[in-house]
Amino acid sequence: MNPAPVLQTERLVLRGHRAEDFDSYFAMVSDPEVMRFINRNGTPREQAWARMLRYPGMWALLGFGMWVIEERSTGRFLGEAGFLESKRDLDPSIEGSLEMGWILIAEAQGRGLATEAVTAAIDWSRTLFSGRRMTCIIDPDNTASLRVAAKHGFREFARTTYNTSAVVLLERLDVQGV
């Protein structure tokens, strides 16, 4: 059983990861175009499997996690969005915050789907995590993700390095209506 709740928007279904998602998931995280701002070295199959497996564990242990984003009309895998607690070695630390993340397959980018998914996730989080600090980590060259973050009230609070890459750290305090 996957304890992730199912969320629906006009065009999307957000649901927990399933074992049968792996081929689509691996195709996404091994696509150099999709991963250019996340992991420039690509994601090996074994690492992709371990990464996907951590999400149901977050739901079970923490009450939040990542959702698969699927197209509502077709059921097609489009990506993932949601919240993490990754215990990242970052300075300044974001541990204890709701770290928000999103990633879409190349064909789904540029259509407002990340904004739609992030809106649904934030709306869901207000019930259980109202007032909790949210953060995200974005490559400074990833203007599309920086726009999505800004639309949702995230503001830069630091620049640092993570895994040898420059990153922007953003935060958002849950404000109703943002």
Side-chain angles (χ1 to χ4, degrees):
M1 286 282 228
N2 191 329
V6 175
L7 308 179
Q8 292 191 23
T9 70
E10 182 181 336
R11 299 179 290 170
L12 306 173
V13 174
L14 280 67
R15 60 161 178 82
H17 290 73
R18 301 177 189 140
E20 58 269 22
D21 295 322
F22 183 66
D23 289 339
S24 297
Y25 181 81
F26 179 60
M28 177 181 71
V29 299
S30 62
D31 181 337
E33 179 64 21
V34 170
M35 297 301 286
R36 72 188 180 280
F37 297 118
I38 300 168
N39 181 354
R40 290 174 179 89
N41 298 323
T43 305
R45 185 173 172 81
E46 179 180 358
Q47 187 179 16
W49 178 245
R51 183 174 161 178
M52 194 180 95
L53 287 176
R54 76 181 177 176
Y55 301 138
M58 285 187 190
W59 282 108
L61 295 176
L62 303 173
F64 60 82
M66 296 292 281
W67 285 274
V68 163
I69 302 170
E70 67 179 33
E71 190 170 39
R72 190 170 175 177
S73 62
T74 65
R76 180 178 180 211
F77 179 98
L78 299 178
E80 65 185 9
F83 304 103
L84 302 159
E85 173 56 85
S86 296
K87 308 283 186 195
R88 296 182 193 274
D89 186 16
L90 276 172
D91 185 22
S93 176
I94 61 169
E95 205 167 305
S97 70
L98 287 174
E99 180 188 336
M100 178 144 238
W102 55 89
I103 182 173
L104 294 172
I105 63 172
E107 300 80 33
Q109 295 177 12
R111 299 176 24 208
L113 298 173
T115 296
E116 193 171 324
V118 169
T119 298
I122 289 173
D123 287 349
W124 170 85
S125 76
R126 286 192 170 115
T127 307
L128 299 170
F129 302 103
S130 180
R132 188 163 173 186
R133 180 180 183 226
M134 289 184 193
T135 59
C136 56
I137 301 170
I138 301 176
D139 183 295
D141 294 329
N142 189 344
T143 56
S145 280
L146 289 169
R147 277 193 306 270
V148 171
K151 286 179 191 176
H152 291 91
F154 285 92
R155 301 291 177 252
E156 179 178 336
F157 72 93
R159 290 192 179 227
T160 190
T161 302
Y162 179 67
N163 289 340
T164 71
S165 296
V167 292
V168 179
L169 300 180
L170 301 104
E171 68 183 338
R172 172 187 193 281
L173 295 177
D174 189 23
V175 179
Q176 200 64 32
V178 175

